[in-house]
Amino acid sequence: MILLGVAVMVVIAVVAIVLTVKDIRANRSMSPRALMTFCAAGIVAAATIAYAVI
């Protein structure tokens, strides 16, 4: 279960990085979609760490 959480976190983080790079190359600030994706990666990371601790 922990490995699944880590895998999901990595996939979401990669998507967030790709979206951010697209925004940077288009010379605009971070889009709300990229920001929400970073937040989702953080939430999955926190849930995975909490599950590992418990």
Side-chain angles (χ1 to χ4, degrees):
M1 185 69 178
I2 293 173
L3 289 177
L4 178 65
V6 170
V8 170
M9 178 183 58
V10 168
V11 168
I12 294 173
V14 167
V15 170
I17 291 168
V18 168
L19 290 174
T20 303
V21 168
K22 280 181 159 181
D23 289 340
I24 290 171
R25 288 191 180 196
N27 199 18
R28 55 183 186 216
S29 61
M30 186 184 292
S31 66
R33 185 172 63 172
L35 186 59
M36 287 188 302
T37 310
F38 271 115
C39 291
I43 291 168
V44 172
T48 303
I49 292 169
Y51 181 79
V53 169
I54 294 172

mmCIF file of all heavy atoms in Angstrom:
data_model
loop_
_atom_site.group_PDB
_atom_site.id
_atom_site.type_symbol
_atom_site.label_atom_id
_atom_site.label_comp_id
_atom_site.label_asym_id
_atom_site.label_seq_id
_atom_site.Cartn_x
_atom_site.Cartn_y
_atom_site.Cartn_z
ATOM 1 N N MET A 1 0.825 -1.204 0.000
ATOM 2 C CA MET A 1 0.000 0.000 0.000
ATOM 3 C C MET A 1 0.868 1.266 0.000
ATOM 4 O O MET A 1 0.524 2.247 -0.644
ATOM 5 C CB MET A 1 -0.928 -0.051 1.216
ATOM 6 C CG MET A 1 -1.901 1.063 1.273
ATOM 7 S SD MET A 1 -3.104 0.896 -0.053
ATOM 8 C CE MET A 1 -4.138 2.260 0.284
ATOM 9 N N ILE A 2 1.959 1.211 0.737
ATOM 10 C CA ILE A 2 2.842 2.376 0.794
ATOM 11 C C ILE A 2 3.474 2.628 -0.579
ATOM 12 O O ILE A 2 3.563 3.767 -1.029
ATOM 13 C CB ILE A 2 3.916 2.191 1.887
ATOM 14 C CG1 ILE A 2 3.252 2.180 3.265
ATOM 15 C CG2 ILE A 2 4.962 3.289 1.813
ATOM 16 C CD1 ILE A 2 4.178 1.833 4.388
ATOM 17 N N LEU A 3 3.880 1.546 -1.242
ATOM 18 C CA LEU A 3 4.478 1.717 -2.570
ATOM 19 C C LEU A 3 3.472 2.277 -3.569
ATOM 20 O O LEU A 3 3.831 3.075 -4.437
ATOM 21 C CB LEU A 3 5.030 0.386 -3.071
ATOM 22 C CG LEU A 3 6.283 -0.121 -2.366
ATOM 23 C CD1 LEU A 3 6.678 -1.486 -2.906
ATOM 24 C CD2 LEU A 3 7.417 0.858 -2.516
ATOM 25 N N LEU A 4 2.220 1.885 -3.428
ATOM 26 C CA LEU A 4 1.186 2.433 -4.303
ATOM 27 C C LEU A 4 1.030 3.937 -4.072
ATOM 28 O O LEU A 4 0.923 4.710 -5.021
ATOM 29 C CB LEU A 4 -0.143 1.718 -4.055
ATOM 30 C CG LEU A 4 -1.330 2.216 -4.880
ATOM 31 C CD1 LEU A 4 -1.095 1.942 -6.350
ATOM 32 C CD2 LEU A 4 -2.601 1.543 -4.412
ATOM 33 N N GLY A 5 1.035 4.347 -2.808
ATOM 34 C CA GLY A 5 0.942 5.776 -2.493
ATOM 35 C C GLY A 5 2.120 6.558 -3.048
ATOM 36 O O GLY A 5 1.951 7.657 -3.579
ATOM 37 N N VAL A 6 3.303 5.986 -2.929
ATOM 38 C CA VAL A 6 4.498 6.652 -3.461
ATOM 39 C C VAL A 6 4.414 6.745 -4.983
ATOM 40 O O VAL A 6 4.746 7.784 -5.568
ATOM 41 C CB VAL A 6 5.775 5.906 -3.017
ATOM 42 C CG1 VAL A 6 6.994 6.433 -3.744
ATOM 43 C CG2 VAL A 6 5.957 6.017 -1.509
ATOM 44 N N ALA A 7 3.942 5.686 -5.625
ATOM 45 C CA ALA A 7 3.824 5.705 -7.083
ATOM 46 C C ALA A 7 2.824 6.767 -7.544
ATOM 47 O O ALA A 7 3.088 7.507 -8.490
ATOM 48 C CB ALA A 7 3.397 4.328 -7.581
ATOM 49 N N VAL A 8 1.686 6.849 -6.864
ATOM 50 C CA VAL A 8 0.687 7.864 -7.215
ATOM 51 C C VAL A 8 1.252 9.261 -7.002
ATOM 52 O O VAL A 8 1.065 10.156 -7.831
ATOM 53 C CB VAL A 8 -0.608 7.640 -6.404
ATOM 54 C CG1 VAL A 8 -1.564 8.811 -6.567
ATOM 55 C CG2 VAL A 8 -1.281 6.345 -6.812
ATOM 56 N N MET A 9 1.967 9.445 -5.898
ATOM 57 C CA MET A 9 2.560 10.745 -5.595
ATOM 58 C C MET A 9 3.555 11.151 -6.683
ATOM 59 O O MET A 9 3.562 12.303 -7.130
ATOM 60 C CB MET A 9 3.257 10.688 -4.240
ATOM 61 C CG MET A 9 3.956 11.953 -3.829
ATOM 62 S SD MET A 9 4.824 11.771 -2.259
ATOM 63 C CE MET A 9 5.930 10.435 -2.586
ATOM 64 N N VAL A 10 4.374 10.213 -7.123
ATOM 65 C CA VAL A 10 5.369 10.513 -8.153
ATOM 66 C C VAL A 10 4.693 10.882 -9.473
ATOM 67 O O VAL A 10 5.086 11.846 -10.131
ATOM 68 C CB VAL A 10 6.342 9.329 -8.330
ATOM 69 C CG1 VAL A 10 7.188 9.487 -9.576
ATOM 70 C CG2 VAL A 10 7.217 9.182 -7.105
ATOM 71 N N VAL A 11 3.663 10.137 -9.844
ATOM 72 C CA VAL A 11 2.955 10.430 -11.093
ATOM 73 C C VAL A 11 2.323 11.816 -11.046
ATOM 74 O O VAL A 11 2.443 12.606 -11.993
ATOM 75 C CB VAL A 11 1.892 9.344 -11.382
ATOM 76 C CG1 VAL A 11 0.972 9.775 -12.502
ATOM 77 C CG2 VAL A 11 2.565 8.028 -11.714
ATOM 78 N N ILE A 12 1.664 12.134 -9.927
ATOM 79 C CA ILE A 12 1.035 13.453 -9.803
ATOM 80 C C ILE A 12 2.087 14.556 -9.814
ATOM 81 O O ILE A 12 1.899 15.601 -10.441
ATOM 82 C CB ILE A 12 0.174 13.523 -8.526
ATOM 83 C CG1 ILE A 12 -1.013 12.571 -8.651
ATOM 84 C CG2 ILE A 12 -0.332 14.938 -8.282
ATOM 85 C CD1 ILE A 12 -1.828 12.439 -7.377
ATOM 86 N N ALA A 13 3.215 14.321 -9.149
ATOM 87 C CA ALA A 13 4.278 15.331 -9.119
ATOM 88 C C ALA A 13 4.859 15.563 -10.515
ATOM 89 O O ALA A 13 5.130 16.710 -10.895
ATOM 90 C CB ALA A 13 5.370 14.903 -8.152
ATOM 91 N N VAL A 14 5.027 14.510 -11.289
ATOM 92 C CA VAL A 14 5.556 14.662 -12.652
ATOM 93 C C VAL A 14 4.579 15.458 -13.511
ATOM 94 O O VAL A 14 4.984 16.337 -14.280
ATOM 95 C CB VAL A 14 5.861 13.277 -13.272
ATOM 96 C CG1 VAL A 14 6.102 13.384 -14.766
ATOM 97 C CG2 VAL A 14 7.047 12.644 -12.578
ATOM 98 N N VAL A 15 3.288 15.164 -13.373
ATOM 99 C CA VAL A 15 2.284 15.931 -14.122
ATOM 100 C C VAL A 15 2.338 17.404 -13.724
ATOM 101 O O VAL A 15 2.281 18.294 -14.581
ATOM 102 C CB VAL A 15 0.878 15.347 -13.890
ATOM 103 C CG1 VAL A 15 -0.197 16.260 -14.452
ATOM 104 C CG2 VAL A 15 0.774 13.970 -14.520
ATOM 105 N N ALA A 16 2.475 17.676 -12.422
ATOM 106 C CA ALA A 16 2.550 19.059 -11.956
ATOM 107 C C ALA A 16 3.781 19.763 -12.519
ATOM 108 O O ALA A 16 3.704 20.928 -12.933
ATOM 109 C CB ALA A 16 2.571 19.095 -10.431
ATOM 110 N N ILE A 17 4.898 19.075 -12.549
ATOM 111 C CA ILE A 17 6.121 19.679 -13.081
ATOM 112 C C ILE A 17 5.975 19.974 -14.573
ATOM 113 O O ILE A 17 6.381 21.039 -15.050
ATOM 114 C CB ILE A 17 7.338 18.768 -12.800
ATOM 115 C CG1 ILE A 17 7.627 18.765 -11.295
ATOM 116 C CG2 ILE A 17 8.553 19.199 -13.588
ATOM 117 C CD1 ILE A 17 8.606 17.703 -10.862
ATOM 118 N N VAL A 18 5.377 19.045 -15.312
ATOM 119 C CA VAL A 18 5.166 19.267 -16.748
ATOM 120 C C VAL A 18 4.269 20.479 -16.975
ATOM 121 O O VAL A 18 4.549 21.321 -17.845
ATOM 122 C CB VAL A 18 4.571 17.998 -17.400
ATOM 123 C CG1 VAL A 18 4.068 18.292 -18.802
ATOM 124 C CG2 VAL A 18 5.607 16.889 -17.428
ATOM 125 N N LEU A 19 3.183 20.587 -16.200
ATOM 126 C CA LEU A 19 2.289 21.736 -16.351
ATOM 127 C C LEU A 19 3.002 23.045 -16.017
ATOM 128 O O LEU A 19 2.806 24.059 -16.689
ATOM 129 C CB LEU A 19 1.062 21.569 -15.454
ATOM 130 C CG LEU A 19 0.077 20.470 -15.857
ATOM 131 C CD1 LEU A 19 -0.994 20.326 -14.789
ATOM 132 C CD2 LEU A 19 -0.543 20.758 -17.202
ATOM 133 N N THR A 20 3.852 23.025 -14.988
ATOM 134 C CA THR A 20 4.579 24.233 -14.603
ATOM 135 C C THR A 20 5.590 24.625 -15.671
ATOM 136 O O THR A 20 5.739 25.812 -15.982
ATOM 137 C CB THR A 20 5.284 24.007 -13.252
ATOM 138 O OG1 THR A 20 4.299 23.639 -12.280
ATOM 139 C CG2 THR A 20 5.974 25.267 -12.779
ATOM 140 N N VAL A 21 6.280 23.647 -16.231
ATOM 141 C CA VAL A 21 7.251 23.949 -17.289
ATOM 142 C C VAL A 21 6.541 24.543 -18.506
ATOM 143 O O VAL A 21 7.048 25.480 -19.130
ATOM 144 C CB VAL A 21 8.046 22.675 -17.660
ATOM 145 C CG1 VAL A 21 8.832 22.869 -18.938
ATOM 146 C CG2 VAL A 21 8.973 22.287 -16.522
ATOM 147 N N LYS A 22 5.362 24.025 -18.825
ATOM 148 C CA LYS A 22 4.591 24.599 -19.941
ATOM 149 C C LYS A 22 4.256 26.064 -19.658
ATOM 150 O O LYS A 22 4.347 26.906 -20.555
ATOM 151 C CB LYS A 22 3.296 23.826 -20.144
ATOM 152 C CG LYS A 22 3.447 22.548 -20.897
ATOM 153 C CD LYS A 22 2.079 21.898 -21.042
ATOM 154 C CE LYS A 22 2.032 20.919 -22.164
ATOM 155 N NZ LYS A 22 0.696 20.321 -22.310
ATOM 156 N N ASP A 23 3.865 26.365 -18.426
ATOM 157 C CA ASP A 23 3.552 27.746 -18.068
ATOM 158 C C ASP A 23 4.793 28.636 -18.154
ATOM 159 O O ASP A 23 4.718 29.773 -18.624
ATOM 160 C CB ASP A 23 2.958 27.820 -16.656
ATOM 161 C CG ASP A 23 1.559 27.254 -16.590
ATOM 162 O OD1 ASP A 23 0.898 27.161 -17.643
ATOM 163 O OD2 ASP A 23 1.110 26.911 -15.480
ATOM 164 N N ILE A 24 5.925 28.125 -17.703
ATOM 165 C CA ILE A 24 7.162 28.914 -17.732
ATOM 166 C C ILE A 24 7.577 29.189 -19.179
ATOM 167 O O ILE A 24 7.960 30.305 -19.525
ATOM 168 C CB ILE A 24 8.284 28.189 -16.956
ATOM 169 C CG1 ILE A 24 7.969 28.202 -15.465
ATOM 170 C CG2 ILE A 24 9.635 28.818 -17.233
ATOM 171 C CD1 ILE A 24 8.893 27.340 -14.637
ATOM 172 N N ARG A 25 7.468 28.175 -20.011
ATOM 173 C CA ARG A 25 7.848 28.371 -21.422
ATOM 174 C C ARG A 25 6.903 29.320 -22.134
ATOM 175 O O ARG A 25 7.297 29.998 -23.078
ATOM 176 C CB ARG A 25 7.889 27.039 -22.146
ATOM 177 C CG ARG A 25 9.068 26.206 -21.719
ATOM 178 C CD ARG A 25 9.255 25.028 -22.597
ATOM 179 N NE ARG A 25 10.407 24.266 -22.116
ATOM 180 C CZ ARG A 25 11.012 23.358 -22.814
ATOM 181 N NH1 ARG A 25 10.593 23.079 -24.032
ATOM 182 N NH2 ARG A 25 12.036 22.718 -22.322
ATOM 183 N N ALA A 26 5.650 29.367 -21.699
ATOM 184 C CA ALA A 26 4.688 30.297 -22.292
ATOM 185 C C ALA A 26 4.808 31.688 -21.670
ATOM 186 O O ALA A 26 4.024 32.578 -21.992
ATOM 187 C CB ALA A 26 3.276 29.766 -22.119
ATOM 188 N N ASN A 27 5.764 31.836 -20.746
ATOM 189 C CA ASN A 27 6.050 33.124 -20.107
ATOM 190 C C ASN A 27 4.829 33.677 -19.364
ATOM 191 O O ASN A 27 4.468 34.839 -19.510
ATOM 192 C CB ASN A 27 6.565 34.130 -21.139
ATOM 193 C CG ASN A 27 7.303 35.278 -20.468
ATOM 194 O OD1 ASN A 27 7.707 35.156 -19.323
ATOM 195 N ND2 ASN A 27 7.461 36.370 -21.174
ATOM 196 N N ARG A 28 4.208 32.827 -18.585
ATOM 197 C CA ARG A 28 3.087 33.268 -17.756
ATOM 198 C C ARG A 28 3.228 32.649 -16.373
ATOM 199 O O ARG A 28 4.018 31.748 -16.155
ATOM 200 C CB ARG A 28 1.754 32.884 -18.388
ATOM 201 C CG ARG A 28 1.621 31.448 -18.702
ATOM 202 C CD ARG A 28 0.329 31.117 -19.396
ATOM 203 N NE ARG A 28 0.293 29.670 -19.497
ATOM 204 C CZ ARG A 28 -0.195 28.997 -20.499
ATOM 205 N NH1 ARG A 28 -0.744 29.625 -21.500
ATOM 206 N NH2 ARG A 28 -0.151 27.695 -20.516
ATOM 207 N N SER A 29 2.461 33.166 -15.439
ATOM 208 C CA SER A 29 2.547 32.651 -14.079
ATOM 209 C C SER A 29 1.903 31.274 -13.989
ATOM 210 O O SER A 29 1.224 30.822 -14.909
ATOM 211 C CB SER A 29 1.868 33.612 -13.104
ATOM 212 O OG SER A 29 0.502 33.734 -13.437
ATOM 213 N N MET A 30 2.124 30.615 -12.863
ATOM 214 C CA MET A 30 1.624 29.252 -12.683
ATOM 215 C C MET A 30 0.098 29.221 -12.769
ATOM 216 O O MET A 30 -0.587 30.002 -12.117
ATOM 217 C CB MET A 30 2.077 28.700 -11.342
ATOM 218 C CG MET A 30 1.731 27.236 -11.141
ATOM 219 S SD MET A 30 2.170 26.615 -9.516
ATOM 220 C CE MET A 30 3.929 26.658 -9.601
ATOM 221 N N SER A 31 -0.406 28.321 -13.572
ATOM 222 C CA SER A 31 -1.850 28.209 -13.743
ATOM 223 C C SER A 31 -2.477 27.566 -12.517
ATOM 224 O O SER A 31 -1.816 26.834 -11.781
ATOM 225 C CB SER A 31 -2.169 27.380 -14.987
ATOM 226 O OG SER A 31 -1.749 26.052 -14.797
ATOM 227 N N PRO A 32 -3.754 27.830 -12.274
ATOM 228 C CA PRO A 32 -4.435 27.200 -11.139
ATOM 229 C C PRO A 32 -4.425 25.677 -11.231
ATOM 230 O O PRO A 32 -4.348 24.995 -10.217
ATOM 231 C CB PRO A 32 -5.863 27.740 -11.233
ATOM 232 C CG PRO A 32 -5.741 29.016 -11.982
ATOM 233 C CD PRO A 32 -4.597 28.821 -12.932
ATOM 234 N N ARG A 33 -4.473 25.160 -12.441
ATOM 235 C CA ARG A 33 -4.455 23.696 -12.606
ATOM 236 C C ARG A 33 -3.130 23.116 -12.124
ATOM 237 O O ARG A 33 -3.104 22.081 -11.444
ATOM 238 C CB ARG A 33 -4.691 23.347 -14.075
ATOM 239 C CG ARG A 33 -4.816 21.870 -14.327
ATOM 240 C CD ARG A 33 -5.224 21.578 -15.735
ATOM 241 N NE ARG A 33 -4.204 22.038 -16.670
ATOM 242 C CZ ARG A 33 -4.201 21.795 -17.950
ATOM 243 N NH1 ARG A 33 -5.190 21.125 -18.479
ATOM 244 N NH2 ARG A 33 -3.240 22.223 -18.718
ATOM 245 N N ALA A 34 -2.004 23.776 -12.454
ATOM 246 C CA ALA A 34 -0.696 23.299 -11.999
ATOM 247 C C ALA A 34 -0.582 23.409 -10.485
ATOM 248 O O ALA A 34 -0.063 22.503 -9.820
ATOM 249 C CB ALA A 34 0.419 24.092 -12.676
ATOM 250 N N LEU A 35 -1.093 24.493 -9.933
ATOM 251 C CA LEU A 35 -1.043 24.675 -8.479
ATOM 252 C C LEU A 35 -1.871 23.620 -7.762
ATOM 253 O O LEU A 35 -1.438 23.048 -6.756
ATOM 254 C CB LEU A 35 -1.537 26.077 -8.127
ATOM 255 C CG LEU A 35 -1.428 26.481 -6.664
ATOM 256 C CD1 LEU A 35 0.013 26.425 -6.204
ATOM 257 C CD2 LEU A 35 -1.992 27.863 -6.463
ATOM 258 N N MET A 36 -3.053 23.326 -8.275
ATOM 259 C CA MET A 36 -3.897 22.295 -7.661
ATOM 260 C C MET A 36 -3.244 20.917 -7.772
ATOM 261 O O MET A 36 -3.374 20.093 -6.867
ATOM 262 C CB MET A 36 -5.278 22.271 -8.307
ATOM 263 C CG MET A 36 -6.145 23.447 -7.915
ATOM 264 S SD MET A 36 -7.843 23.328 -8.487
ATOM 265 C CE MET A 36 -7.653 23.171 -10.232
ATOM 266 N N THR A 37 -2.512 20.678 -8.853
ATOM 267 C CA THR A 37 -1.835 19.393 -9.007
ATOM 268 C C THR A 37 -0.711 19.257 -8.001
ATOM 269 O O THR A 37 -0.510 18.186 -7.419
ATOM 270 C CB THR A 37 -1.295 19.241 -10.444
ATOM 271 O OG1 THR A 37 -2.333 19.534 -11.371
ATOM 272 C CG2 THR A 37 -0.798 17.850 -10.702
ATOM 273 N N PHE A 38 0.033 20.343 -7.750
ATOM 274 C CA PHE A 38 1.059 20.312 -6.705
ATOM 275 C C PHE A 38 0.427 20.053 -5.340
ATOM 276 O O PHE A 38 0.959 19.285 -4.534
ATOM 277 C CB PHE A 38 1.854 21.627 -6.669
ATOM 278 C CG PHE A 38 3.054 21.623 -7.561
ATOM 279 C CD1 PHE A 38 3.124 22.478 -8.648
ATOM 280 C CD2 PHE A 38 4.114 20.785 -7.319
ATOM 281 C CE1 PHE A 38 4.224 22.485 -9.471
ATOM 282 C CE2 PHE A 38 5.224 20.778 -8.139
ATOM 283 C CZ PHE A 38 5.286 21.635 -9.220
ATOM 284 N N CYS A 39 -0.708 20.679 -5.072
ATOM 285 C CA CYS A 39 -1.404 20.459 -3.799
ATOM 286 C C CYS A 39 -1.860 19.007 -3.679
ATOM 287 O O CYS A 39 -1.766 18.415 -2.598
ATOM 288 C CB CYS A 39 -2.598 21.399 -3.668
ATOM 289 S SG CYS A 39 -2.135 23.117 -3.472
ATOM 290 N N ALA A 40 -2.342 18.434 -4.764
ATOM 291 C CA ALA A 40 -2.769 17.031 -4.744
ATOM 292 C C ALA A 40 -1.583 16.115 -4.445
ATOM 293 O O ALA A 40 -1.720 15.144 -3.682
ATOM 294 C CB ALA A 40 -3.413 16.658 -6.068
ATOM 295 N N ALA A 41 -0.432 16.407 -5.016
ATOM 296 C CA ALA A 41 0.760 15.606 -4.735
ATOM 297 C C ALA A 41 1.136 15.709 -3.258
ATOM 298 O O ALA A 41 1.514 14.711 -2.636
ATOM 299 C CB ALA A 41 1.921 16.058 -5.612
ATOM 300 N N GLY A 42 1.020 16.890 -2.695
ATOM 301 C CA GLY A 42 1.307 17.067 -1.273
ATOM 302 C C GLY A 42 0.334 16.312 -0.384
ATOM 303 O O GLY A 42 0.726 15.720 0.625
ATOM 304 N N ILE A 43 -0.932 16.310 -0.768
ATOM 305 C CA ILE A 43 -1.939 15.594 0.019
ATOM 306 C C ILE A 43 -1.687 14.091 -0.028
ATOM 307 O O ILE A 43 -1.751 13.407 1.003
ATOM 308 C CB ILE A 43 -3.355 15.940 -0.490
ATOM 309 C CG1 ILE A 43 -3.682 17.389 -0.151
ATOM 310 C CG2 ILE A 43 -4.396 14.995 0.087
ATOM 311 C CD1 ILE A 43 -4.911 17.917 -0.841
ATOM 312 N N VAL A 44 -1.370 13.573 -1.203
ATOM 313 C CA VAL A 44 -1.069 12.143 -1.316
ATOM 314 C C VAL A 44 0.193 11.805 -0.528
ATOM 315 O O VAL A 44 0.265 10.770 0.139
ATOM 316 C CB VAL A 44 -0.929 11.734 -2.799
ATOM 317 C CG1 VAL A 44 -0.430 10.306 -2.929
ATOM 318 C CG2 VAL A 44 -2.257 11.893 -3.506
ATOM 319 N N ALA A 45 1.182 12.684 -0.577
ATOM 320 C CA ALA A 45 2.413 12.451 0.185
ATOM 321 C C ALA A 45 2.119 12.420 1.685
ATOM 322 O O ALA A 45 2.608 11.542 2.406
ATOM 323 C CB ALA A 45 3.436 13.534 -0.131
ATOM 324 N N ALA A 46 1.315 13.365 2.163
ATOM 325 C CA ALA A 46 0.980 13.408 3.586
ATOM 326 C C ALA A 46 0.195 12.164 4.000
ATOM 327 O O ALA A 46 0.443 11.588 5.075
ATOM 328 C CB ALA A 46 0.181 14.662 3.893
ATOM 329 N N ALA A 47 -0.723 11.733 3.157
ATOM 330 C CA ALA A 47 -1.503 10.536 3.477
ATOM 331 C C ALA A 47 -0.626 9.293 3.492
ATOM 332 O O ALA A 47 -0.780 8.425 4.363
ATOM 333 C CB ALA A 47 -2.628 10.368 2.454
ATOM 334 N N THR A 48 0.330 9.213 2.565
ATOM 335 C CA THR A 48 1.236 8.063 2.523
ATOM 336 C C THR A 48 2.116 8.038 3.758
ATOM 337 O O THR A 48 2.324 6.979 4.372
ATOM 338 C CB THR A 48 2.102 8.114 1.250
ATOM 339 O OG1 THR A 48 1.237 8.159 0.116
ATOM 340 C CG2 THR A 48 3.007 6.921 1.151
ATOM 341 N N ILE A 49 2.643 9.185 4.163
ATOM 342 C CA ILE A 49 3.485 9.253 5.360
ATOM 343 C C ILE A 49 2.673 8.906 6.598
ATOM 344 O O ILE A 49 3.135 8.164 7.472
ATOM 345 C CB ILE A 49 4.132 10.642 5.481
ATOM 346 C CG1 ILE A 49 5.150 10.830 4.355
ATOM 347 C CG2 ILE A 49 4.789 10.826 6.837
ATOM 348 C CD1 ILE A 49 5.666 12.236 4.209
ATOM 349 N N ALA A 50 1.459 9.406 6.689
ATOM 350 C CA ALA A 50 0.598 9.097 7.834
ATOM 351 C C ALA A 50 0.298 7.603 7.896
ATOM 352 O O ALA A 50 0.329 6.997 8.969
ATOM 353 C CB ALA A 50 -0.693 9.895 7.752
ATOM 354 N N TYR A 51 0.033 7.002 6.741
ATOM 355 C CA TYR A 51 -0.240 5.554 6.714
ATOM 356 C C TYR A 51 0.999 4.769 7.128
ATOM 357 O O TYR A 51 0.896 3.771 7.851
ATOM 358 C CB TYR A 51 -0.682 5.152 5.306
ATOM 359 C CG TYR A 51 -0.998 3.676 5.201
ATOM 360 C CD1 TYR A 51 -2.204 3.180 5.660
ATOM 361 C CD2 TYR A 51 -0.092 2.797 4.638
ATOM 362 C CE1 TYR A 51 -2.504 1.829 5.571
ATOM 363 C CE2 TYR A 51 -0.371 1.446 4.540
ATOM 364 C CZ TYR A 51 -1.582 0.972 5.006
ATOM 365 O OH TYR A 51 -1.852 -0.367 4.914
ATOM 366 N N ALA A 52 2.177 5.230 6.708
ATOM 367 C CA ALA A 52 3.411 4.527 7.064
ATOM 368 C C ALA A 52 3.705 4.633 8.562
ATOM 369 O O ALA A 52 4.179 3.688 9.171
ATOM 370 C CB ALA A 52 4.577 5.089 6.255
ATOM 371 N N VAL A 53 3.386 5.771 9.141
ATOM 372 C CA VAL A 53 3.639 5.974 10.571
ATOM 373 C C VAL A 53 2.662 5.160 11.416
ATOM 374 O O VAL A 53 3.038 4.554 12.414
ATOM 375 C CB VAL A 53 3.571 7.481 10.922
ATOM 376 C CG1 VAL A 53 3.563 7.692 12.421
ATOM 377 C CG2 VAL A 53 4.716 8.224 10.263
ATOM 378 N N ILE A 54 1.408 5.150 10.985
ATOM 379 C CA ILE A 54 0.388 4.422 11.751
ATOM 380 C C ILE A 54 0.560 2.945 11.450
ATOM 381 O O ILE A 54 0.650 2.092 12.203
ATOM 382 C CB ILE A 54 -1.033 4.877 11.357
ATOM 383 C CG1 ILE A 54 -1.212 6.319 11.768
ATOM 384 C CG2 ILE A 54 -2.083 4.002 12.009
ATOM 385 C CD1 ILE A 54 -2.496 6.943 11.277
#
